[in-house]
Amino acid sequence: MKVPLSWLKQYVDVDLPAKELAHLLTMAGTEVGEVQVIGGWSEVFVGLVKDVRPHPNADRLRLCVVSTGAEAMEVVCGAPNVAPSQKICFAKVGANIFDTHSGRYEILEAATIRGVESQGMICSAQELGLGDDHSGIIVLPNDAPTGTLLDEYLGDTVLDLELTPNRLDCLSVLGVAHEVAALTGKKVREPESSYQESGIPIAEQVKISVADPDLCRRYTASLLQGVKIGPSPQWLQDRLTRAGLRPINNVVDVTNFVMMEYNQPLHSFDYDLIKDATVIVRRARPGETLTTLDGVVRKLNTENLLIADANDPIGLAGVMGGANSEISNGTVNVLLESATFNGPNNRKTAQSMDLRTEATLRFEKGLRPELAPIALRRATGLIQEVAGGTVAPGIVDIVSSEGVDAPVVRLSVSTIKRMLGMEVKIEQAQETMDALGFTWETTGEGELKVTVPYWRNDVNIEEDLVEEVVRIIGYDSVPTTMISSPIPVQQPVPIMQLRDQVRDLLAASGFQEVINYPLVTLEQLEQVEQLDPSTLPLRVANPMSSDREYLRTTLQASLMANLASNQGNSAGPFRMFEAGRVFLPREGDLPDERETVSAVLAGLRHEPSWLEDESLLDFYDAKGVVEQVLDRLGVAATYEPFDHPAFHPGRCAKINAGDVALGVVGEIHPSVMSRVGLEQPQVAAFEFDLDSILSVLPESRQQFESLPRYPSATRDLSLIVPAGVAASQATELILRHRGIDRAELFDIYAGENIAEGSKSLAFHVYFQARDRTLTNEEVNRSLDGLLRTLERELNITMRA
Amino acid sequence: MTEPIGQNNLSPEEERAWAVIEQFEKQSADSPPSFEVLLQYVAQDLRSTSVELLTTLESLDAVDKWRVAYLGRRGSLTTVLRGLSSLNVEDRRTIGAAANDTKKTLEDRLEVRVRQINEAALALSASQDRLDVTLPGRPALEGRLHPTTKIVREICDAFVAMGFGVVEGPEVEWDHYNFEMLNIPKGHPARDMWNTLWVDYQDQSGETPMLLRTHTSPMQARIMEGREPPIRVVVPGKCYRYEATDATHEWHFYQVEGLAVGEGITFADLKGTLFEFARRMFGEERQIRFRCDYFPFVEPGVDMSIDCFACNGDGDGCRICRDSGWIEIMGAGMIHPRVLEGVGYDSERYTGFAFGMGPERIAMLKYGIDDIRHFYANDLRFLRQF
Ligand SMILES: [Zn+2]
């Protein structure tokens, strides 16, 4: 909303600098985004064109004699519309104007154009920064005072308001005037809206009925006869252009002007085009259409509210008029409408037709019905003033059963204290109400009955009035205290704790956390997992772009992309993880948002260094991290070979705890790598489902285990193991053996000296008794037993 | 002494030492040496040549051999003392005293020499085996949390210290919680404040009520529905908007919502809580300022600014606060009575406040990040700075 100060000052005195006013408004809730200064041209004056002659050396140029009263100067002008006795904007040497060639403001210098010296310049709108028009010069009204500085005559300051949706009132200049008055202690001057009526009363000339009063709380109309359509006077055009509206003709301009002044959208119909002089406010009938003013044929539905004549729609109520009843240059009689339409219905219609007009911006927020006749009278008087004609006596005023009473809201100082934690005296509340234009009466000790003025639609309950009080007296006056009630007991959320713990563990293991958009493409998801065609991932109905369309069901896809986008910057190591949610669709419900942690590892195992080798991260790096994390969480996990479409066949394990699947670890499938564009010899990855881990977390995380009091005995076992037996099977069997405390696998070998179809595993095995030092004999006996078991169960033998 | 101390060629000192011992052994080969010979040997010759030899030895190994040769159980000095039986008591005592004196001297000298050799070795090592301490060390594992994670934790911790709990909620929400329960019914113009990404899902009545939450505020209703006051929680989480991205706008971002409901909670308490937060987050000397703002689920609604920490509220020419001296940090307000009543609370009995802030914006201010698009581009060169 652009509010020119010149217009604002019509209703309220402003003696503060614009910046200070902007600050006051901003702090009170009407944010001023920009204070725009029109002017600053300095040496530009209102000039009178005395004479226009052809340029001796150029056909398109003219020589003009321009008077500023005190002096007359000769200038060269190329504008086609320059003519003698025009009032124009004359820039003298030294003026600060926009140079259309350089594209910036420059100080005007004397110039010789085609052999004739020009002592200044007659300006276009573009050269003064008043618009984009550079096709001709600006022609000022005849009454413009010659010799006046243009900064004084045309200069202005425009406040560009960034309004919140509740403050409908500040979409109007009068509404802003009320706000300014309240903040600066001034009084508002309401505009004059009286006019003479004559002829046949309106009631005898037009039949108006409201068939759907639920969507039209009030409908008022007046009738002007014998008007002359034409351009508006300059003052009216200036008002509109500075507020950002385009002048059209005098009648339409008045309706727009009054809308900007009072907020009430009005519509003018060509009375003679209304069939049977009958106006019906009704819902559209099935199949009805209307060609709106913009020439578009609108198909209507039965929730669209129409203004119709005896037969056809003539306007889309509160949105846009119909072309069939439009004011034209030939219009003589004007039916003027000022109504209160239902906000949500109006908004729905406008949205469904993608027609957000200045009218709908106001109607949708719910205009007050008291406003309709006030604005109608104001507009009627103004039209008569600028377009002549007579006004038929009376107005049409149809009010629905809802009535038009102003809201009355209670305000007590005890509520103010309860909300703000601060004492406000009743007198102070009364003063604030007065300043804002609210009326009140005292209904008891410290209690008021407040009537909300017609321009405010946002005050309905006592809390709203409390805000009015505090925003006017200022938030700085509210004390600063801490909540006095006891602190409630706070239970930590286990899944959040677990996620944070895993985050910290991974960061400590050298992983960089990333955070990705959860919207991805279906292809991305398909690349890393088998999608079930019956429950596809959730899709956004209105995606911003095709690459952000589906809610992810795995974090892997994005991590692959992260790796791909970073791999060009270094040789690694790349260790990245994300802790975020995946979204698994559920029938008829919100998706299951599973807390998931996923990681990728690729590139060099160590930061490049003169001390380190150049080995690459692989499956066992990933698994080592998985083991460490689960170990730290106290989860006893097992790993089984697993076929997963995203992982390298034979290099992937499912992570289990008992029969609960916790996740997967492996090396990425080469074809996935090439599809994603990963230029790495190998990429390892893992993904955990945190909710599953949470379900297997031990009750109490950790129990102290007493330290052994006797020394352990160590034996190195070099075993020949059939190739089909997994290392974990051998290890488990060894650990299950009585007297063995732990076993460390320290070597794996296959090849020379080992029979085909088998491999050699070497373990350090530790024997330990709780109550004594084991003798050699005891250890040997235990070892013999172990070897027998190994042979019997897994066909494992000692290496010779 | 059976073998030479030095490796190959004997030094003059060693030769002399050998000669003294050989001569003595020769003299005592046939008959026990006389008192004079013994005294000369013990107090003079053995003593001087051995000390002389010691000073020439350079290695601990050689010194140890020297010790064995002179002071060992079968060393020269010990051997002498064993052959005193032919002497009278007085002579024996004299020779014994002289031998002990010599032994003491040799032991002292030995200690000194060992120390000298150790010091020399260290000095040599310091000059020859010196490390280039300027070379980079072996790289330690380096992992970091995302700056958003860090700042969200920092924000939550500040409120936890004031007795708030931390909870989270769903990122995919119903219209009901995202809007309706927050006093934003269908068709309300305030819905324009949140451009929404809708999920492609229709319920039985043909409505599309599922969306990506546009703010963390739906948790206000969810939390209040689930329990009775007193409530004090913060809710961090992701939010989404249908919005073009630029240097200050992301369609995907985090919020931290706060909520306190109970009896007697006032706007003054809101001020106090947020003042305390601002001081913890941005420094003790911070000032705060409120201006009126509008969110449909609070009344009164405000916007909180802190005085600019870059220019200390000065404003002029400051890029952080764009000359104003103040930086907007978050929206806040007293919970709207319709929101309280919507969850079945008695709005006459309970009051409460709510606030919401953008952690990325706070991180940008704290770390001087100029473009919000860095946060989720996941360029490691950016992420590793935090
Ligand atoms: Zn600053």
Side-chain angles (χ1 to χ4, degrees):
Chain A
M1 170 75 185
K2 288 184 190 302
V3 181
L5 276 187
S6 58
W7 191 349
L8 187 66
K9 286 174 178 170
Q10 187 179 334
Y11 316 113
V12 65
D13 292 336
V14 176
D15 44 23
L16 287 174
K19 281 224 148 162
E20 278 178 44
L21 182 65
H23 177 71
L24 277 182
L25 284 166
T26 297
M27 296 308 286
T30 305
E31 190 172 359
V32 179
E34 200 190 344
V35 178
Q36 205 184 324
V37 176
I38 297 172
W41 307 293
S42 66
E43 292 294 294
V44 181
F45 298 88
V46 175
L48 172 65
V49 180
K50 289 265 201 185
D51 189 20
V52 178
R53 288 176 280 125
H55 190 288
N57 306 323
D59 290 347
R60 295 213 181 151
L61 300 179
R62 252 84 58 88
L63 299 181
C64 308
V65 177
V66 175
S67 162
T68 58
E71 49 185 340
M73 277 154 291
E74 192 174 56
V75 296
V76 178
C77 182
N81 63 330
V82 68
S85 71
Q86 280 173 339
K87 293 287 179 66
I88 47 86
C89 308
F90 177 62
K92 288 192 358 188
V93 169
N96 179 31
I97 58 173
F98 186 78
D99 185 322
T100 54
H101 297 292
S102 72
R104 50 172 195 264
Y105 280 86
E106 284 181 4
I107 303 298
L108 185 67
E109 291 170 5
T112 302
I113 301 166
R114 292 281 185 103
V116 179
E117 198 196 312
S118 182
Q119 294 169 291
M121 191 165 122
I122 304 175
C123 300
S124 70
Q126 195 181 30
E127 283 156 345
L128 294 172
L130 292 173
D132 297 332
D133 190 5
H134 191 50
S135 62
I137 56 163
I138 295 180
V139 180
L140 298 173
N142 283 334
D143 60 0
T146 304
T148 309
L149 265 176
L150 200 67
D151 279 332
E152 281 169 25
Y153 182 68
L154 272 189
D156 205 345
T157 301
V158 178
L159 304 179
D160 197 351
L161 307 183
E162 291 171 5
L163 295 172
T164 53
N166 59 326
R167 292 303 298 274
L168 172 64
D169 56 313
C170 291
L171 271 174
S172 70
V173 183
L174 252 177
V176 176
H178 283 291
E179 185 76 0
V180 169
L183 293 170
T184 58
K186 303 281 195 241
K187 283 265 171 285
V188 169
R189 294 180 292 271
E190 296 251 0
E192 180 68 32
S193 49
S194 62
Y195 50 84
Q196 290 296 316
E197 299 175 335
S198 59
I200 306 164
I202 184 171
E204 292 167 29
Q205 301 201 60
V206 60
K207 295 183 287 295
I208 298 182
S209 60
V210 175
D212 288 312
D214 58 321
L215 299 183
C216 179
R217 193 168 169 185
R218 189 170 202 173
Y219 195 95
T220 69
S222 66
L223 180 62
L224 288 112
Q225 291 168 299
V227 301
K228 189 173 181 320
I229 304 296
S232 297
Q234 192 63 38
W235 70 264
L236 182 52
Q237 295 197 26
D238 285 350
R239 284 275 189 262
L240 293 177
T241 46
R242 277 194 221 164
L245 293 180
R246 194 166 50 89
I248 294 167
N249 62 47
N250 46 12
V251 172
V252 174
D253 289 353
V254 166
T255 59
N256 282 334
F257 173 83
V258 174
M259 176 178 72
M260 296 304 290
E261 188 177 51
Y262 274 98
N263 245 348
Q264 173 71 51
L266 301 120
H267 187 69
S268 48
F269 298 93
D270 186 326
Y271 171 79
D272 298 307
L273 297 177
I274 301 173
K275 187 125 188 134
D276 295 348
T278 299
V279 171
I280 306 166
V281 182
R282 61 163 170 87
R283 285 179 166 86
R285 299 182 185 124
E288 264 185 321
T289 61
L290 169 68
T291 305
T292 42
L293 283 175
D294 53 7
V296 179
V297 181
R298 310 276 173 182
K299 281 189 185 157
L300 306 172
N301 71 46
T302 54
E303 275 307 297
N304 299 145
L305 190 69
L306 291 181
I307 312 301
D309 62 16
N311 297 339
D312 299 310
I314 55 171
L316 195 52
V319 181
M320 193 178 267
N324 55 4
S325 58
E326 188 181 356
I327 301 288
S328 65
N329 286 338
T331 300
V332 180
N333 301 317
V334 172
L335 181 73
L336 189 62
E337 163 201 288
S338 176
T340 312
F341 299 116
N342 175 277
N345 173 270
N346 179 273
R347 179 177 159 89
K348 205 168 174 185
T349 297
Q351 276 185 334
S352 70
M353 297 186 184
D354 207 12
L355 254 182
R356 306 298 294 279
T357 59
E358 289 286 337
T360 65
L361 279 181
R362 291 168 170 81
F363 279 124
E364 68 170 20
K365 295 183 176 71
L367 285 168
R368 292 275 300 279
E370 303 97 299
L371 180 56
I374 297 173
L376 182 77
R377 291 206 168 85
R378 169 69 169 157
T380 306
L382 271 178
I383 291 176
Q384 192 180 38
E385 184 186 321
V386 302
T390 58
V391 180
I395 61 167
V396 173
D397 186 359
I398 302 168
V399 175
S400 81
S401 57
E402 253 186 287
V404 292
D405 293 336
V408 176
V409 182
R410 186 190 102 109
L411 175 64
S412 73
V413 288
S414 64
T415 305
I416 295 177
K417 172 132 200 286
R418 198 171 86 91
M419 298 299 298
L420 300 183
M422 162 175 85
E423 302 273 0
V424 171
K425 288 205 170 64
I426 191 71
E427 294 78 15
Q428 208 176 352
Q430 290 164 345
E431 276 167 29
T432 311
M433 294 297 112
D434 288 341
L436 286 162
F438 291 60
T439 51
W440 50 267
E441 52 186 286
T442 308
T443 47
E445 185 69 27
E447 198 179 299
L448 305 175
K449 207 169 83 178
V450 177
T451 303
V452 181
Y454 70 83
W455 58 89
R456 294 294 297 270
N457 72 328
D458 60 321
V459 176
N460 300 294
I461 58 174
E462 194 172 11
E463 284 78 2
D464 295 333
L465 285 177
V466 174
E467 178 172 80
E468 293 302 307
V469 171
V470 67
R471 75 183 184 89
I472 297 301
I473 65 177
Y475 297 92
D476 287 345
S477 54
V478 180
T480 300
T481 58
M482 292 306 276
I483 304 174
S484 54
S485 51
I487 292 174
V489 176
Q490 305 292 1
Q491 298 292 351
V493 180
I495 190 75
M496 290 170 60
Q497 284 187 307
L498 175 63
R499 190 189 55 211
D500 273 353
Q501 200 181 354
V502 172
R503 266 189 180 137
D504 288 338
L505 284 170
L506 289 176
S509 303
F511 285 75
Q512 169 64 53
E513 187 185 17
V514 297
I515 296 178
N516 282 293
Y517 298 148
L519 289 181
V520 293
T521 66
L522 202 57
E523 292 71 40
Q524 272 182 293
L525 295 175
E526 277 167 342
Q527 271 164 7
V528 295
E529 65 179 11
Q530 196 88 51
L531 294 177
D532 178 355
S534 66
T535 52
L536 280 180
L538 286 176
R539 192 184 152 269
V540 168
N542 56 335
M544 286 176 291
S545 63
S546 58
D547 59 338
R548 293 170 198 162
E549 194 171 353
Y550 286 89
L551 276 161
R552 64 186 177 190
T553 48
T554 169
L555 305 182
Q556 279 292 328
S558 305
L559 278 167
M560 296 295 141
N562 297 151
L563 185 55
S565 68
N566 277 288
Q567 65 188 354
N569 295 329
S570 84
F574 298 105
R575 291 192 195 83
M576 291 184 262
F577 80 97
E578 178 165 11
R581 294 183 184 168
V582 300
F583 302 83
L584 309 181
R586 282 192 293 212
E587 187 64 37
D589 200 354
L590 296 176
D592 182 11
E593 299 188 13
R594 306 284 292 186
E595 289 287 353
T596 307
V597 170
S598 195
V600 287
L601 306 86
L604 292 176
R605 176 168 288 128
H606 305 286
E607 291 289 341
S609 158
W610 61 283
L611 283 160
E612 302 290 359
D613 61 24
E614 300 205 331
S615 61
L616 299 176
L617 289 161
D618 63 16
F619 173 85
Y620 291 107
D621 292 285
K623 184 155 184 256
V625 175
V626 168
E627 286 166 341
Q628 188 192 29
V629 168
L630 293 175
D631 187 55
R632 289 285 288 273
L633 296 173
V635 173
T638 56
Y639 303 83
E640 61 174 285
F642 190 46
D643 283 328
H644 187 293
F647 287 94
H648 195 301
R651 295 190 178 186
C652 175
K654 192 169 155 198
I655 310 164
N656 297 315
D659 49 10
V660 178
L662 305 182
V664 59
V665 53
E667 279 181 17
I668 297 299
H669 198 294
S671 62
V672 171
M673 287 179 34
S674 71
R675 278 202 298 266
V676 180
L678 296 179
E679 291 152 5
Q680 305 282 340
Q682 72 228 15
V683 174
F686 60 85
E687 184 156 290
F688 286 135
D689 179 64
L690 288 186
D691 291 290
S692 298
I693 293 181
L694 192 65
S695 72
V696 297
L697 277 191
E699 280 292 313
S700 140
R701 281 290 158 79
Q702 218 158 4
Q703 282 290 312
F704 168 71
E705 192 176 302
S706 62
L707 302 179
R709 294 165 61 190
Y710 302 92
S712 62
T714 315
R715 293 288 187 276
D716 284 357
L717 291 188
S718 201
L719 303 173
I720 301 292
V721 180
V725 173
S728 63
Q729 290 174 279
T731 312
E732 271 171 42
L733 203 55
I734 293 169
L735 287 175
R736 246 186 288 152
H737 194 73
R738 259 178 76 97
I740 292 178
D741 182 47
R742 75 202 150 91
E744 289 159 1
L745 177 65
F746 69 90
D747 189 43
I748 299 182
Y749 175 74
E752 222 173 310
N753 299 328
I754 303 292
E756 188 91 349
S758 49
K759 60 193 170 189
S760 159
L761 301 182
F763 291 90
H764 298 300
V765 180
Y766 297 85
F767 296 84
Q768 170 86 61
R770 288 261 133 209
D771 54 350
R772 66 189 188 286
T773 306
L774 290 170
T775 65
N776 250 340
E777 251 169 53
E778 282 176 308
V779 172
N780 289 341
R781 219 179 311 130
S782 178
L783 188 59
D784 286 344
L786 171 64
L787 290 172
R788 277 196 302 277
T789 311
L790 284 170
E791 181 154 18
R792 192 178 62 240
E793 303 268 324
L794 296 172
N795 195 21
I796 292 173
T797 54
M798 275 290 272
R799 189 174 171 183
Chain B
M1 188 177 279
T2 50
E3 51 180 307
I5 295 169
Q7 289 296 316
N8 299 310
N9 303 323
L10 298 186
S11 66
E13 292 80 9
E14 188 161 8
E15 268 180 38
R16 271 200 297 281
W18 272 101
V20 165
I21 296 168
E22 272 172 357
Q23 193 196 346
F24 175 73
E25 280 176 357
K26 210 183 286 166
Q27 283 173 345
S28 48
D30 305 326
S31 58
S34 66
F35 171 76
E36 288 74 21
V37 168
L38 269 171
L39 192 62
Q40 173 68 26
Y41 182 61
V42 170
Q44 301 289 325
D45 299 349
L46 186 67
R47 181 166 165 152
S48 64
T49 56
S50 66
V51 167
E52 201 180 329
L53 173 58
L54 181 63
T55 60
T56 70
L57 300 179
E58 301 290 348
S59 75
L60 288 177
D61 210 31
V63 168
D64 198 52
K65 282 180 184 162
W66 178 94
R67 182 188 59 78
V68 173
Y70 288 100
L71 296 166
R73 267 193 297 166
R74 278 193 284 265
S76 307
L77 202 55
T78 329
T79 320
V80 169
L81 295 173
R82 273 197 228 112
L84 296 182
S85 48
S86 59
L87 302 182
N88 62 38
V89 176
E90 196 174 332
D91 288 352
R92 248 190 276 172
R93 200 170 289 149
T94 310
I95 296 293
N100 274 335
D101 188 49
T102 297
K103 190 181 175 200
K104 178 87 179 41
T105 303
L106 294 195
E107 279 168 354
D108 288 351
R109 293 303 180 91
L110 174 68
E111 197 188 316
V112 169
R113 189 64 195 145
V114 166
R115 197 164 62 228
Q116 284 171 343
I117 289 172
N118 279 338
E119 280 167 5
L122 195 63
L124 189 72
S125 139
S127 69
Q128 288 184 350
D129 304 339
R130 176 185 288 272
L131 295 181
D132 181 351
V133 297
T134 65
L135 277 174
R138 183 162 279 125
L141 282 178
E142 154 138 5
R144 288 162 188 264
L145 296 175
H146 192 281
T148 303
T149 301
K150 289 180 65 174
I151 209 87
V152 165
R153 279 188 185 180
E154 215 178 309
I155 292 167
C156 291
D157 287 350
F159 286 104
V160 165
M162 290 186 268
F164 284 69
V166 186
V167 299
E168 290 178 354
E171 292 172 25
V172 180
E173 258 296 3
W174 298 117
D175 184 299
H176 176 77
Y177 287 106
N178 197 75
F179 290 124
E180 284 170 46
M181 293 292 278
L182 292 170
N183 194 28
I184 316 165
K186 289 205 174 65
H188 195 291
R191 286 202 176 201
D192 291 348
M193 293 165 79
W194 299 276
N195 295 318
T196 307
L197 283 161
W198 298 92
V199 173
D200 186 12
Y201 165 86
Q202 281 202 343
D203 63 13
Q204 280 110 344
S205 54
E207 301 275 308
T208 50
M210 202 189 282
L211 49 80
L212 303 192
R213 67 174 173 197
T214 58
H215 46 188
T216 41
S217 308
M219 278 305 283
Q220 289 188 19
R222 282 185 179 273
I223 291 164
M224 289 192 283
E225 271 183 345
R227 54 175 120 149
E228 280 296 304
I231 289 171
R232 268 189 241 182
V233 288
V234 285
V235 187
K238 283 190 177 190
C239 307
Y240 307 89
R241 304 233 177 122
Y242 189 99
E243 229 163 63
T245 54
D246 61 26
T248 53
H249 296 87
E250 251 285 3
W251 69 275
H252 155 280
F253 56 94
Y254 279 70
Q255 271 191 350
V256 179
E257 185 88 5
L259 183 70
V261 193
E263 290 181 52
I265 291 183
T266 66
F267 189 88
D269 295 334
L270 168 64
K271 262 185 96 168
T273 304
L274 296 186
F275 180 46
E276 195 53 36
F277 166 74
R279 283 158 35 106
R280 281 171 198 262
M281 213 60 197
F282 294 101
E284 257 187 82
E285 66 283 6
R286 286 285 67 80
Q287 298 297 309
I288 56 168
R289 189 178 83 173
F290 289 90
R291 69 172 202 87
C292 182
D293 203 350
Y294 170 69
F295 308 96
F297 37 94
V298 289
E299 188 74 32
V302 289
D303 195 285
M304 187 184 92
S305 298
I306 54 169
D307 64 331
C308 178
F309 50 81
C311 62
N312 271 317
D314 215 29
D316 272 349
C318 178
R319 280 182 50 207
I320 302 286
C321 62
R322 294 206 201 94
D323 299 334
S324 72
W326 294 90
I327 304 170
E328 286 187 2
I329 290 292
M330 68 174 107
M334 299 301 289
I335 300 172
H336 199 287
R338 274 204 277 274
V339 174
L340 294 173
E341 282 150 21
V343 297
Y345 285 4
D346 179 356
S347 68
E348 295 286 316
R349 179 173 170 203
Y350 296 121
T351 50
F353 62 74
F355 54 85
M357 70 191 92
E360 293 92 347
R361 175 164 164 73
I362 290 177
M364 287 170 84
L365 290 169
K366 279 194 87 153
Y367 301 130
I369 300 166
D370 59 354
D371 193 326
I372 195 171
R373 287 169 294 196
H374 283 309
F375 281 81
Y376 307 113
N378 291 317
D379 188 324
L380 293 174
R381 293 169 298 181
F382 170 79
L383 296 177
R384 282 188 179 142
Q385 295 183 30
F386 301 94

